[in-house]
Amino acid sequence: MSYGAAKAAQTDYALSAAAEPADLGITANDRKRHHPSLTGIARGSAEVTDTGTHRRRRSAAWFGAEGRSGMVYRSWMRNQGYTSEVFDGRPVIGIATTWSELAPCNSHLQRVAESVKRGVWQAGGFPLEFPAMALGETLMRPTAMLYRNLLAMEAEELMRANPLDGVVLLSGCDKTTPGLLMAASSVDLPAVMVTGGPMLNGKYRGGDVGSGTQVWRFEAELAAGRMTQEECYFAEGCMARSNGHCMTMGTASTMASLAEALGMQLPGSASWPAVDSRRYETAQRAGQRIVAMVEEDLRPSQIMTREAFENAIRVNAAIGGSTNAVIHLLAIAGRLGVPLALDDFDALAREVPTLVDLQPSGRFLMEDFCYAGGLPVVMRELGALLHPEPTTVTGRTVAENVADAECWNREVIRTLDDPFQEAGTGTAVLRGNLAPNGAVIKQSAASRHLLTHRGRALVFDTPEDYLAVHADEDLPVDENTVLVIRGSGPRGYPGMPEVSNVVLPPKLLRKGVEDMVRICDGRMSGTGFGTVVLHVSPESAVGGPLALVRDGDWITLDVPARTLTLDVGEAELERRRAAWEPPPPVADRGWSRLYTEHVLQADQGLDLDFLVGGSGHPVPRESH
């Protein structure tokens, strides 16, 4: 081996050794060295713990480097006004923020980041905020779900490419929470989630209105002629009256709660309103805690275990959470290599009652849930239904975190003995010749009389096709019709948008019909409601059975039996399959093309096939 090759190998070994998980921690007793008057330990050098073990922080490969490289890294950082003490080997904490004025739910995260920084400084760390893609469900077209994996990819690469020892993840709107958790899972640096919190309760004509959920109701009232457009204009200003994400148990509130249930968010922090001072107190405590997590080398892979995912699935059933949680949890588990399948969501939820009386399934909103005691009360109430032993970001177990939780309003959070809805009313997984790889339905938001139903199909190739004619008085539809909306899956739209709970035909609304069975290969907003079969897999665009349904076909939905059946003979289906032609590609360039070529189906979490599994946090090669 040449001298140059030998030196390069020696350097590569030193850098890779600095990145090994076992080499990241120091003892709590070393924290005193962060005081600038203590100069006994060289800047960024390897440190000696109480046991004599030499350990080196990942960031030391940058800020502890000698010669030209170290000068480059430190001097350019100092143009922001940092003093030299920040390079003394203290933990470097990245604050990944999805702040953007284009993502209204996340528009206050700059303020949250300041609180996190305060906590990091207090604990002796060096905080550095960096932006990650903001995914605002309310504005992005065709759907924010198209970009969840792009956020996860971007955040993953930013965490790995920079001198970070730990990260705090700031999220809010629906896809930002799972996207950041996917990234953190792949990199596996110590990480803690801080969600931005829900808005205050909406207020309209003396009553509470929920974001999203009330939009669907107002839409139906407008279509039925019971509400004017002017009244809608006034009402829309009454729903979103503070910073924060949806205050219903939509996807944003669901994923905030599940981040807490997984152990990745501080106990109780999922439900504090965005404008409550305790939201910022929580953020400050998260900043303090991430520094200790770096010292403990407590990583996402140690927290989000199979048992933690089982807890999250059961919590989702207990809170009446969004069906979107199914897709996001599958994707996060896939990044960690945790075995999790679609059928787990049905099996684990069957024995769990719905305890929380929140919109869209119930009456109350997240502000009420918070003041009633929040998620710790739910988890304590679930008791033996949860695994007590998984470790959380606090360093304590699930059971220890919720041991002292008290309920302050039993109307909002009910007991196991007196639940809001009985066990088995959570998300159900359906199978049959119409959904061989599965479909889901949110029972708690469906009409009981439609959970067993047989009707003739009225088929539309896109949601736009339906909306173009749904108001026609001659539309061949009645309350027994099964509306089939296809072309809405991950590849076919693309991105699997939240279009499945289409508004009912106005002529039925005027007759007093409030619900009907709808089947779609797309998704439904967590704020939505109705008897809607979602996530039909495989999707129609790849030749799934949904592509073969024709007007007038009989379809049988039997949720208690967990079946979804197209009552057409196999020979006829084969003839239709032979005549079927795939639709033209919906994307020919950029991210959308990459997405449609590599996205997995709904039953696999919609991640990209080449991103499944983690890749750790090795220190990148030197560039100077």
Side-chain angles (χ1 to χ4, degrees):
M1 180 183 292
S2 68
Y3 174 78
K7 292 299 289 183
Q10 182 182 32
T11 301
D12 287 345
Y13 174 80
L15 291 177
S16 63
E20 285 297 315
D23 294 336
L24 289 173
I26 64 171
T27 67
N29 291 334
D30 285 326
R31 191 178 299 181
K32 62 180 183 293
R33 68 180 180 77
H34 296 145
H35 195 285
S37 65
L38 303 178
T39 58
I41 298 177
R43 178 195 301 131
S45 66
E47 300 157 12
V48 182
T49 70
D50 292 343
T51 60
T53 303
H54 288 268
R55 293 181 177 178
R56 182 177 170 92
R57 298 200 193 285
R58 184 175 183 272
S59 59
W62 284 263
F63 298 143
E66 301 296 331
R68 180 186 63 184
S69 294
M71 184 179 298
V72 167
Y73 296 130
R74 293 185 295 271
S75 65
W76 260 265
M77 287 297 293
R78 292 188 68 175
N79 81 349
Q80 299 178 68
Y82 295 118
T83 59
S84 61
E85 289 87 353
V86 299
F87 308 116
D88 64 1
R90 68 187 66 192
V92 179
I93 305 301
I95 303 173
T97 177
T98 52
W99 169 86
S100 172
E101 291 180 341
L102 288 171
C105 303
N106 298 20
S107 62
H108 64 301
L109 291 183
Q110 284 181 310
R111 171 70 177 84
V112 176
E114 291 302 316
S115 296
V116 174
K117 289 178 185 177
R118 187 163 61 238
V120 173
W121 286 120
Q122 285 178 320
F126 178 22
L128 293 170
E129 182 181 356
F130 65 94
M133 187 178 186
L135 307 181
E137 187 67 57
T138 55
L139 297 184
M140 295 188 81
R141 292 185 178 183
T143 170
M145 188 63 187
L146 176 61
Y147 304 103
R148 182 203 64 179
N149 297 342
L150 184 56
L151 164 62
M153 182 186 291
E154 178 200 29
E156 173 184 345
E157 298 303 331
L158 287 171
M159 292 177 200
R160 188 178 296 110
N162 285 289
L164 304 178
D165 301 307
V167 288
V168 178
L169 313 170
L170 303 189
S171 70
C173 198
D174 298 12
K175 312 306 177 293
T176 54
T177 299
L180 290 177
L181 285 175
M182 290 162 68
S185 298
S186 293
V187 180
D188 207 28
L189 282 171
V192 60
M193 172 67 69
V194 177
T195 51
M199 294 182 284
L200 297 176
N201 290 0
K203 299 289 182 180
Y204 176 66
R205 292 184 172 178
D208 286 349
V209 292
S211 53
T213 299
Q214 203 64 39
V215 170
W216 315 125
R217 295 196 171 108
F218 286 156
E219 179 186 37
E221 291 292 290
L222 184 64
R226 294 188 290 266
M227 192 173 189
T228 67
Q229 186 60 63
E230 288 71 24
E231 288 172 322
C232 282
Y233 288 144
F234 179 78
E236 70 188 33
C238 301
M239 283 186 288
R241 63 187 189 93
S242 78
N243 287 139
H245 58 66
C246 285
M247 84 296 278
T248 51
M249 189 53 77
T251 305
S253 295
T254 296
M255 292 311 301
S257 298
L258 297 191
E260 185 175 326
L262 282 168
M264 290 296 294
Q265 183 157 219
L266 294 178
S269 60
S271 59
W272 285 119
V275 294
D276 193 302
S277 63
R278 287 161 292 191
R279 167 61 51 193
Y280 301 105
E281 179 182 336
T282 293
Q284 183 172 337
R285 293 191 184 282
Q288 295 168 342
R289 180 59 195 151
I290 188 61
V291 175
M293 289 175 65
V294 170
E295 294 178 349
E296 297 161 7
D297 190 25
L298 180 55
R299 291 171 280 117
S301 61
Q302 297 165 298
I303 295 170
M304 290 189 283
T305 61
R306 165 72 190 199
E307 291 74 21
F309 279 98
E310 290 184 2
N311 284 350
I313 291 171
R314 286 183 161 145
V315 165
N316 189 56
I319 63 177
S322 170
T323 50
N324 289 307
V326 176
I327 289 173
H328 297 319
L329 290 178
L330 285 169
I332 297 165
R335 295 295 185 98
L336 292 161
V338 172
L340 197 67
L342 180 61
D343 289 334
D344 289 327
F345 289 82
D346 194 304
L348 291 166
R350 278 184 183 251
E351 57 184 333
V352 181
T354 304
L355 301 181
V356 181
D357 186 355
L358 251 65
Q359 296 183 31
S361 301
R363 298 173 294 162
F364 297 101
L365 296 166
M366 286 295 290
E367 193 178 350
D368 309 304
F369 180 52
C370 177
Y371 304 149
L375 197 70
V377 172
V378 175
M379 296 181 71
R380 184 182 183 189
E381 188 64 38
L382 288 174
L385 290 172
L386 299 183
H387 297 285
E389 71 280 359
T391 300
T392 71
V393 291
T394 65
R396 301 189 301 271
T397 67
V398 168
E400 290 170 334
N401 282 347
V402 304
D404 298 327
E406 294 185 67
C407 183
W408 306 110
N409 189 336
R410 280 299 180 190
E411 279 194 90
V412 178
I413 305 175
R414 308 280 282 272
T415 65
L416 282 175
D417 294 332
D418 181 29
F420 172 58
Q421 293 188 13
E422 67 273 14
T425 53
T427 298
V429 176
L430 311 175
R431 292 188 184 272
N433 68 343
L434 195 50
N437 292 348
V440 303
I441 185 170
K442 185 175 180 178
Q443 296 181 85
S444 63
S447 298
R448 296 297 179 90
H449 71 281
L450 291 175
L451 293 179
T452 302
H453 182 79
R454 189 170 187 263
R456 289 191 179 274
L458 184 61
V459 184
F460 298 90
D461 287 327
T462 69
E464 290 82 6
D465 288 348
Y466 169 75
L467 293 174
V469 301
H470 83 290
D472 291 355
E473 291 300 313
D474 296 330
L475 190 70
V477 62
D478 61 28
E479 59 269 27
N480 296 311
T481 301
V482 175
L483 293 177
V484 174
I485 312 291
R486 57 194 178 200
S488 304
R491 295 189 184 184
Y493 200 80
M496 201 178 178
E498 296 177 340
V499 296
S500 300
N501 60 322
V502 293
V503 64
L504 272 56
K507 72 176 188 177
L508 296 185
L509 291 170
R510 288 193 296 271
K511 289 173 57 179
V513 178
E514 296 182 347
D515 196 8
M516 60 191 301
V517 175
R518 286 151 280 177
I519 299 174
C520 187
D521 49 8
R523 297 178 299 114
M524 179 174 78
S525 169
T527 66
F529 54 90
T531 310
V532 190
V533 178
L534 310 157
H535 310 181
V536 174
S537 181
E539 64 175 303
S540 59
V542 299
L546 203 65
L548 309 180
V549 184
R550 294 180 180 176
D551 289 343
D553 288 347
W554 286 98
I555 294 176
T556 301
L557 170 66
D558 190 341
V559 176
R562 300 299 196 263
T563 58
L564 180 66
T565 307
L566 176 62
D567 297 331
V568 175
E570 187 58 36
E572 172 62 18
L573 289 178
E574 283 301 324
R575 283 192 290 271
R576 296 182 187 182
R577 190 172 290 110
W580 178 79
E581 293 183 3
V586 294
D588 60 3
R589 69 184 303 276
W591 169 253
S592 295
R593 177 175 175 176
L594 181 67
Y595 179 93
T596 54
E597 290 176 352
H598 292 278
V599 68
L600 300 171
Q601 289 292 293
D603 60 302
Q604 298 173 293
L606 267 73
D607 204 355
L608 302 188
D609 53 17
F610 59 82
L611 290 177
V612 176
S615 50
H617 48 266
V619 173
R621 295 176 63 182
E622 180 74 62
S623 62
H624 302 296

